[in-house]
Amino acid sequence: MKKLSVCVLFGGISPEHEVSLRSAESVLNNIDRSKYNVFPVGITKEGDWILFGGTDYSMLPAGTWQNCEQNRRAAISPVHGQGLLSFENDCVVRERIDVVFPVLHGENGEDGAMQGFLQIAGIPYVGPHVAASSACMDKTMTKLMVDAIGLRQAAWHLVTREEFERNSEASLNAVEAKFSYPVFVKPAGTGSSVGVSKARDREQLASALILALKYDRKVLVEEFIDGQEIECAVLGNANPCASVCGEIDAGADFYDYETKYVTDSSKLYIPARIDDQTAEQVRDEAVKIFTAMGCSGLSRVDFFVTREGHEVVFNEINTIPGFTSISMYPKLFMASGIPYSELIDDLIGLALDC
């Protein structure tokens, strides 16, 4: 059987560059080489594309991958059917690429930009397509869509950079008129909790908005939900399926970037510590949101389950969730009976079926 050629894209210029390197390490260590010719292509923080020539994928999270002697400058051609180009001196090598696995998080990775480029190049790719990627990346668009299908989510308020710079006091007043403290402040277009803060008073709110506005011109302020953090993985195209539910106990004030990737304070519970009826509701709503947003391939959908009343509250959706060794998405499907390497097979198959 002829092997498929898979380009694994990683890195990127977004603040989630390091998370992408960790995700790619796991994917490259688990993809079945008997089925695929694998081309690992990293994008530096400066935007340079490199065909990684090494075999030690621990070089990715270590940050030394760019110095591998076997590396070549590379590019995916936007010309339909040209595939992957790599450059050595005056020579250009062209490789046919059957599918791209964009293990990219954040800006230019999961926001529809890379998806649009790959569509122009005529190369199938893992994950949701342009419109769904863009809408899911923008938390304000996601909020509007979930409101439209009538599912419960945290109340929210939008603050733009322009209005905050014009009159910061008015922005703070508007938030305080709508919510009591504490509140959460999030850039509209980042993942991995980059730029997210919990504010307990007006001074912290101002600082949180200033931080979040460094990452995006649109910022969400959300009501605080006192609940368990529950995550559900979704897989499929026309008939998506949901995994078992998982739970994150942050072991900190909230599940921020440092808690996710730097410290060891968080704990994962698979299955989540919720009753069967609530778990089924989470799984059902995860598929509804995945479908309403127009997703295909994969997404991870995050919820809260309130401590009082056990109400299911939607939080956010991630179209290219983390694939690190500690990430929920692969762990949830492993707990649902799909091993990591088989999950990669399924995702590649779904990309080719789109």
Side-chain angles (χ1 to χ4, degrees), residues 126-348:
V126 169
H129 288 183
V130 178
S133 295
S134 179
C136 290
M137 191 68 190
D138 186 333
K139 294 179 178 65
T140 61
M141 296 297 294
T142 305
K143 291 283 189 183
L144 292 170
M145 290 291 290
V146 173
D147 273 343
I149 60 174
L151 297 182
R152 167 85 162 93
Q153 60 183 327
W156 58 287
H157 177 79
L158 174 65
V159 178
T160 66
R161 182 179 292 133
E162 293 80 6
E163 72 178 67
F164 188 77
E165 290 177 349
R166 184 169 58 247
N167 191 336
S168 60
E169 291 300 309
S171 296
L172 297 173
N173 290 340
V175 171
E176 291 182 331
K178 189 168 185 177
F179 302 115
S180 57
Y181 291 106
V183 293
F184 278 96
V185 181
K186 304 176 179 179
T190 64
S192 299
S193 297
V194 171
V196 177
S197 304
K198 184 178 181 180
R200 298 166 185 80
D201 55 38
R202 189 180 180 91
E203 183 179 353
Q204 289 185 2
L205 175 62
S207 297
L209 287 169
I210 290 168
L211 173 64
L213 287 167
K214 290 179 180 179
Y215 295 98
D216 202 304
R217 59 168 292 273
K218 295 196 297 184
V219 169
L220 265 69
V221 182
E222 292 183 340
E223 69 168 319
F224 170 67
I225 302 294
D226 183 17
Q228 297 164 265
E229 296 192 39
I230 307 297
E231 299 187 349
C232 184
V234 181
L235 176 71
N237 289 339
N239 298 294
C241 65
S243 71
V244 300
C245 297
E247 179 185 353
I248 295 166
D249 182 350
D253 198 26
F254 71 99
Y255 197 42
D256 61 4
Y257 183 93
E258 187 163 324
T259 306
K260 286 180 179 179
Y261 302 111
V262 180
T263 70
D264 295 321
S265 60
S266 63
K267 293 181 180 179
L268 308 183
Y269 295 92
I270 303 175
R273 297 173 297 178
I274 53 179
D275 62 68
D276 291 345
Q277 183 178 349
T278 304
E280 193 56 36
Q281 182 182 348
V282 168
R283 297 175 73 248
D284 179 63
E285 291 193 9
V287 170
K288 284 181 179 176
I289 292 166
F290 180 92
T291 303
M293 297 302 297
C295 293
S296 56
L298 78 160
S299 289
R300 194 195 70 235
V301 191
D302 301 344
F303 298 87
F304 297 107
V305 172
T306 60
R307 300 190 193 281
E308 290 189 12
H310 305 292
E311 185 180 9
V312 175
V313 182
F314 168 69
N315 183 18
E316 60 186 44
I317 182 169
N318 297 273
T319 55
I320 304 182
F323 268 82
T324 72
S325 59
I326 63 168
S327 292
M328 267 290 206
Y329 190 90
K331 283 182 174 291
L332 289 172
F333 272 115
M334 283 190 275
S336 302
I338 304 178
Y340 198 124
S341 60
E342 187 179 322
L343 179 61
I344 294 172
D345 291 344
D346 290 344
L347 291 169
I348 290 170

